[in-house]
Amino acid sequence: MTDAYRTVAERAEARFEVQGSEFIGYISPAETVEDAEAFIDEIEALHPDATHNVPAYRVPAGGASSAVPGGGTVMLREYQSDDGEPTGSSGKPALNVLVQQDVRNVVAVVTRYYGGTNLGVGGLARAYSRAVKEALDAAGIVEEIPHERFTATVEYDDSGSVRGILESTGVEFDADYDQRVSFSVRVPVADADSLRDRLRSATSGRVEIE
């Protein structure tokens, strides 16, 4: 069983002003580097006229939480950028909050609109830290267990059996009914192998799992 970890319950934001500068802290769950980068792009697109959009994230390197089957330590990728602010004044303080709060699978972006007063490195560090802390508080921290994703594809004749098993186990899934039926499944790592075995048994091995 892979260990539980702390992450955010949902997306959230927090806003405040410091000497005329507006700071908006955004936070979101993110299972992969791609998820984190997509969220950063989303916030940058939301605030293209901002003075700075400072990102920080802690997510599993090279894949989702499923990267470690059966146990072990997940390698985390930690990333931050000052996005034009003085070196060490913004990205590192933002990331430090995530580290100190021991949260992972999380991405933060702090948007700043400059208000005409220079805050200095110390003032910026306090503001960027505060933005991430308040966004974390707004999102709420929860304990989560590592999940993995797989896709199960079957002909229509087998789709009812597969859907029934997925619904009975209570896992998250999306179904795509095209020429064949594809189920995109998100399942706790500890339960994934047995679920795949059940799907193979129910379809006499006809299910394609990837």
Side-chain angles (χ1 to χ4, degrees):
M1 173 77 183
T2 18
D3 292 336
Y5 59 89
R6 285 159 53 86
T7 189
V8 291
E10 60 185 2
R11 288 187 174 202
E13 64 183 78
R15 298 168 179 254
F16 56 87
E17 285 193 11
V18 179
Q19 296 184 42
S21 281
E22 182 183 12
F23 290 86
I24 313 168
Y26 293 94
I27 205 146
S28 174
E31 293 195 354
T32 64
V33 171
E34 290 74 20
D35 289 347
E37 296 286 356
F39 182 74
I40 293 166
D41 290 344
E42 179 185 329
I43 300 304
E44 288 176 345
L46 194 61
H47 296 283
D49 55 340
T51 317
H52 306 281
N53 285 296
V54 169
Y57 59 73
R58 299 183 81 217
V59 298
S65 306
S66 58
V68 185
T73 301
V74 172
M75 293 295 294
L76 291 179
R77 178 170 182 199
E78 296 183 345
Y79 171 81
Q80 53 83 16
S81 167
D82 293 311
D83 192 38
E85 291 280 31
T87 301
S89 68
S90 50
K92 190 171 182 181
L95 178 60
N96 282 346
V97 174
L98 303 180
V99 174
Q100 289 161 5
Q101 295 290 324
D102 191 27
V103 291
R104 62 170 241 216
N105 293 49
V106 61
V107 54
V109 182
V110 181
T111 297
R112 181 193 182 192
Y113 286 92
Y114 181 62
T117 301
N118 290 331
L119 303 181
V121 172
L124 288 171
R126 285 189 293 275
Y128 280 99
S129 296
R130 176 184 168 189
V132 176
K133 283 177 185 172
E134 292 189 2
L136 270 176
D137 288 344
I141 294 175
V142 294
E143 282 218 340
E144 176 67 276
I145 58 172
H147 282 67
E148 66 175 272
R149 297 176 186 273
F150 66 82
T151 301
T153 303
V154 290
E155 302 294 341
Y156 274 79
D157 287 350
D158 288 319
S159 62
S161 299
V162 170
R163 189 179 191 105
I165 290 172
L166 297 178
E167 289 177 344
S168 70
T169 55
V171 298
E172 300 173 40
F173 70 92
D174 291 315
D176 179 22
Y177 289 83
D178 199 357
Q179 291 181 339
R180 303 172 78 202
V181 186
S182 293
F183 297 90
S184 299
V185 183
R186 181 176 183 267
V187 58
V189 170
D191 303 329
D193 285 343
S194 62
L195 178 58
R196 282 189 283 261
D197 287 343
R198 284 185 65 190
L199 296 179
R200 291 188 184 103
S201 296
T203 61
S204 300
R206 291 184 295 273
V207 63
E208 292 178 11
I209 296 177
E210 55 186 30

